Amino acid sequence: LIPQGGGEHLYGHRCAGEWLTIESMKQAVDFLINRITYEIPDQDLTFSLSRMPTLPRSGFIMRNIKSQQYE
């Protein structure tokens, strides 16, 4: 997956918003890993390759979501 274009950024096509998108993705991953706790119940994560964008059959279910408290 290359959502922002491929190639060397000095010579090839790249998205003007690439750096903002990368930073936003870093923040989202940090939030999911370090700032909340949650449980992921058993679910059907299979997907169809005939549908784009493809999604897990059961969606993606999270439960017991709680904010982490930092000192």
Side-chain angles (χ1 to χ4, degrees):
L1 175 63
I2 306 174
Q4 304 300 324
E8 176 63 37
H9 75 276
L10 295 175
Y11 308 109
H13 167 74
R14 297 297 278 260
C15 177
E18 175 179 8
W19 307 114
L20 179 60
T21 301
I22 290 171
E23 196 57 39
S24 297
M25 291 172 66
K26 288 179 188 176
Q27 293 294 320
V29 170
D30 177 66
F31 178 78
L32 289 170
I33 293 172
N34 298 313
R35 309 226 183 258
I36 61 174
T37 60
Y38 50 88
E39 296 174 8
I40 301 172
D42 289 338
Q43 51 199 295
D44 183 359
L45 297 177
T46 61
F47 53 91
S48 169
L49 292 177
S50 64
R51 180 177 183 271
M52 292 304 274
T54 190
L55 299 169
R57 293 199 195 286
S58 64
F60 183 74
I61 303 166
M62 298 166 60
R63 66 179 179 204
N64 296 327
I65 301 168
K66 297 177 183 164
S67 175
Q68 296 259 353
Q69 298 297 323
Y70 291 95
E71 296 179 28

